[in-house]
Amino acid sequence: MRIVGAMDMVQILGLVAGACTSLAAVPQLVKTWKTKEVENISMKMFLFYVVGMSMWLTYGIIKSDLPIIITNAIALTFHALMLF
C-alpha cells in the first residue's frame, strides 16, 4: 500500500479547489440556457473572469502545473460560454 506524499496532497488540494471554482459558473450557465434570459447578468464580470482565467491558464502552462492548467481550462470554457 502506498502512502500519499505531501506533493500528492498539494496537487489533490489544487484539483479540488480548482474544481469548485471551475464549476461555480455551471448553475448560472444552466439557468441562462434554460431561461434564455441574460438581462440580469453582468457581462463585465464574466469578461473579467475570462481574462483572469486566461492569465491563470498561461501561468499554469509556463509553470507546468497540471492542477492550474486543467481547472483554469475548464473554468475558462464555462465562463467564455456565458459571454456567448
Side-chain angles (χ1 to χ4, degrees):
M1 179 168 29
R2 181 168 113 67
I3 298 175
V4 178
M7 276 313 279
D8 290 339
M9 290 302 295
V10 170
Q11 285 209 320
I12 291 169
L13 176 65
L15 287 168
V16 172
C20 289
T21 56
S22 297
L23 297 174
V26 172
Q28 184 65 59
L29 189 59
V30 170
K31 181 180 178 185
T32 302
W33 184 269
K34 286 181 179 179
T35 64
K36 307 289 189 227
E37 292 182 23
V38 294
E39 290 85 27
N40 295 325
I41 294 174
S42 171
M43 287 299 156
K44 288 180 185 177
M45 181 196 75
F46 280 99
L47 181 61
F48 276 110
Y49 270 127
V50 167
V51 170
M53 294 296 165
S54 298
M55 289 190 279
W56 271 114
L57 180 58
T58 303
Y59 174 81
I61 291 168
I62 291 168
K63 299 287 279 183
S64 298
D65 191 321
L66 199 56
I68 291 175
I69 294 169
I70 292 170
T71 58
N72 284 286
I74 293 168
L76 179 60
T77 302
F78 289 144
H79 287 90
L81 283 172
M82 280 302 299
L83 286 176
F84 296 107

